[in-house]
Amino acid sequence: MPRQLWQQVLTGLFRPMTLVAMVDLVIACFAFWSAAWLRAGFQAEQVAFHLGPVLPRAIVFAGLLMLCMASMGMYRARQRPRSLETLLRVVLAVA
């Protein structure tokens, strides 16, 4: 039984929308981290002084961004939106 459960979990992880969501999570974390470093002039002391630990904040930011994108329907597998509809959904989710 545990082997079947493990196979179901792995199968669920490699669905297209799950992969898109995971890539979005990584991109959002990297964007937050890059913005923090850019704001501090690429100096570690300044990042620590102004923001403190960046990784927990980046994870919270990325999680909230993913929640907003999911609420706008960006991770539905059965959607067939046009490019304008997708653009409007992304703008509304990020705004």
Side-chain angles (χ1 to χ4, degrees), residues 59-69 93:
I59 291 171
V60 168
F61 168 76
L64 290 174
L65 185 63
M66 297 233 357
L67 181 67
C68 292
M69 300 254 298

Side-chain angles (χ1 to χ4, degrees), residues 9-92:
V9 168
L10 286 178
T11 302
L13 283 177
F14 294 110
R15 290 189 177 142
M17 285 299 135
T18 307
L19 289 175
V20 169
M22 290 187 331
V23 168
D24 283 350
L25 182 71
V26 169
I27 289 172
C29 282
F30 181 74
F32 186 89
W33 183 79
S34 298
W37 277 90
L38 185 64
R39 181 180 184 274
F42 299 101
Q43 297 176 1
E45 300 84 23
Q46 293 295 322
V47 172
F49 177 74
H50 289 291
L51 293 175
V54 177
L55 184 61
R57 292 173 189 247
I59 291 171
V60 168
F61 168 76
L64 290 174
L65 185 63
M66 297 233 357
L67 181 67
C68 292
M69 300 254 298
S71 72
M72 296 308 281
M74 295 304 297
Y75 300 120
R76 286 188 298 172
R78 295 182 184 163
Q79 66 179 348
R80 299 285 184 253
R82 291 172 277 161
S83 57
L84 179 62
E85 182 181 351
T86 301
L87 179 66
L88 288 174
R89 285 183 182 188
V90 169
V91 168
L92 286 174

